[in-house]
């Protein structure tokens, strides 16, 4: 059975991955001073860093159900017998709800919608697992759900201001320290961004990300990815240390986040995504 996998732009798959695996990516919306743009299409990391540096007003929003339905109909018209649509956590966005409404409009028997309970490559790994699965739509859905249940995500930010303004944290505000060097560490727990701990320097933050990822990875095969915004050197250092530390790594992926995630984390964010067992 031919199954088409759909995800959204917050998966931030490394360049070429979506095309290589036939994944259709639906962009979320970004408004810059009220002007609408599309995440990853006409507004990427470079434009985001510039907008944040100029303190321009940024807001983000989900794709509409109509936009999602158009993608589903196109996939079915192109010969897919099923569509599995995997999206970022419903706790962080209305994208999953838009996908669910679109599936009901198009064909709920052939379009299956999965909440990854994550974002970034936590979502990306779930979508890739669906691509590699056997068993048609049901098999792809099961693989996506299974991968999503194993994913662990850890990240550090320069400041919590962006997350707080965007309404993506609540209790995490307790991590804010008085020392300028404090680096908050957070993780994604059941689809929500929650505080984990705080460290004093960027160097210690990177070290803790390596420790946490290695502990989560375990001794077997593992998928690893590093995300960043405007910090390519730190991302490369983190990826190298992960490859050296985690025995089951076959190569850590590096991907810069785009507007939707970056607008809520700010420049300097570093994140690690761990998928014990890998995607296949």
């Amino acid at each position: 059975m031919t199954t088409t996998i759909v995800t959204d732009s917050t998966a931030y798959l490394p360049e070429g991955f979506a095309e290589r695996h036939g994944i259709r990516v639906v962009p979320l919306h970004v408004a810059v001073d009220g002007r609408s743009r599309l995440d990853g299409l006409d507004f990427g990391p470079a434009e985001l860093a510039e907008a944040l540096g100029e303190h321009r007003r940024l807001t983000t929003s989900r794709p509409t159900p109509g936009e999602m339905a158009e993608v589903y109909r196109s996939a079915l018209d192109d010969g897919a017998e099923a569509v599995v649509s995997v999206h970022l956590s419903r706790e962080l966005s209305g994208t999953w709800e838009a996908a669910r409404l679109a599936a009901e409009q198009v064909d709920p028997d052939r379009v299956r919608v999965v909440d990854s309970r994550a974002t970034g490559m936590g979502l990306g790994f779930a979508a890739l697992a669906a691509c590699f699965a056997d068993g048609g739509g049901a098999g792809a859905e099961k693989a996506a759900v299974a991968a999503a249940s194993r994913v662990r995500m850890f990240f550090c930010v320069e400041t919590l201001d962006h997350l707080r303004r965007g309404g993506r944290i609540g209790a995490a505000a307790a991590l804010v320290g008085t020392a300028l060097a404090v680096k908050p560490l957070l993780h994604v727990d059941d689809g929500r961004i929650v505080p984990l701990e705080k460290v004093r320097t960027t160097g210690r933050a990177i070290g803790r990300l390596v420790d946490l990822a290695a502990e989560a990875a375990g001794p077997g095969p593992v998928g690893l990815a590093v995300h960043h915004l405007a910090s390519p050197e730190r991302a490369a250092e983190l990826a190298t240390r992960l490859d050296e530390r985690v025995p089951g790594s076959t190569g850590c992926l590096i991907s810069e986040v785009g507007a939707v995630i970056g607008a809520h984390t700010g420049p300097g964010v570093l994140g690690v995504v761990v998928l014990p067992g890998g995607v296949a």
Side-chain angles (χ1 to χ4, degrees):
M1 176 183 288
T2 303
T3 302
T4 294
I5 308 304
V6 176
T7 191
D8 61 68
S9 58
T10 70
Y12 298 123
L13 293 161
E15 186 174 356
F17 268 50
E19 294 82 358
R20 187 184 314 164
H21 298 291
I23 299 174
R24 303 195 183 199
V25 180
V26 182
L28 272 72
H29 295 260
V30 183
V32 185
D33 293 334
R35 180 186 175 191
S36 181
R37 311 288 287 274
L38 292 176
D39 185 30
L41 293 183
D42 58 6
F43 195 81
E47 291 81 5
L48 172 64
E50 180 181 355
L52 290 173
E54 295 173 353
H55 303 288
R56 299 171 71 182
R57 183 169 59 88
L58 295 174
T59 58
T60 62
S61 59
R62 70 181 191 178
T64 67
E67 289 168 334
M68 303 293 295
E70 183 178 350
V71 174
Y72 300 156
R73 290 192 182 100
S74 175
L76 295 173
D77 289 345
D78 288 344
E81 296 178 63
V83 174
V84 174
S85 199
V86 191
H87 297 287
L88 80 161
S89 171
R90 75 182 80 173
E91 302 291 344
L92 302 176
S93 167
T95 302
W96 175 88
E97 178 65 14
R100 186 189 64 80
L101 292 171
E104 290 180 357
Q105 293 174 17
V106 175
D107 190 336
D109 293 328
R110 293 201 290 166
V111 181
R112 304 162 184 262
V113 179
V114 175
D115 178 359
S116 72
R117 309 298 289 173
T119 188
M121 278 301 295
L123 164 58
F125 280 140
L128 288 170
C131 287
F132 301 149
D134 297 322
E141 179 185 25
K142 182 178 179 180
V145 171
S149 71
R150 301 195 308 273
V151 161
R152 301 289 304 279
M153 297 185 65
F154 309 97
F155 63 102
C156 65
V157 294
E158 293 293 322
T159 172
L160 289 169
D161 288 344
H162 298 283
L163 282 164
R164 187 166 53 243
R165 285 199 300 266
R168 288 339 190 247
I169 58 168
L175 282 174
V176 178
T178 55
L180 293 177
V182 165
K183 304 296 179 185
L185 292 176
L186 304 101
H187 67 143
V188 177
D189 181 27
D190 195 24
R192 296 181 176 89
I193 296 172
V194 296
L196 190 60
E197 57 189 70
K198 58 186 177 182
V199 295
R200 289 288 180 184
T201 66
T202 297
R204 289 182 180 179
I206 291 175
R208 282 299 293 147
L209 288 175
V210 172
D211 290 343
L212 291 164
E215 181 180 352
V222 62
L224 289 173
V226 165
H227 287 304
H228 73 97
L229 177 60
S231 297
E233 295 85 4
R234 289 178 181 175
E237 176 191 349
L238 178 55
T240 297
R241 291 177 64 174
L242 287 167
D243 280 334
E244 293 172 347
R245 177 77 175 273
V246 180
S249 174
T250 57
C252 183
L253 304 173
I254 300 178
S255 176
E256 190 167 17
V257 300
V260 171
I261 299 303
H264 295 294
T265 60
V269 62
L270 283 176
V272 179
V273 183
V274 182
L275 179 62
V279 297

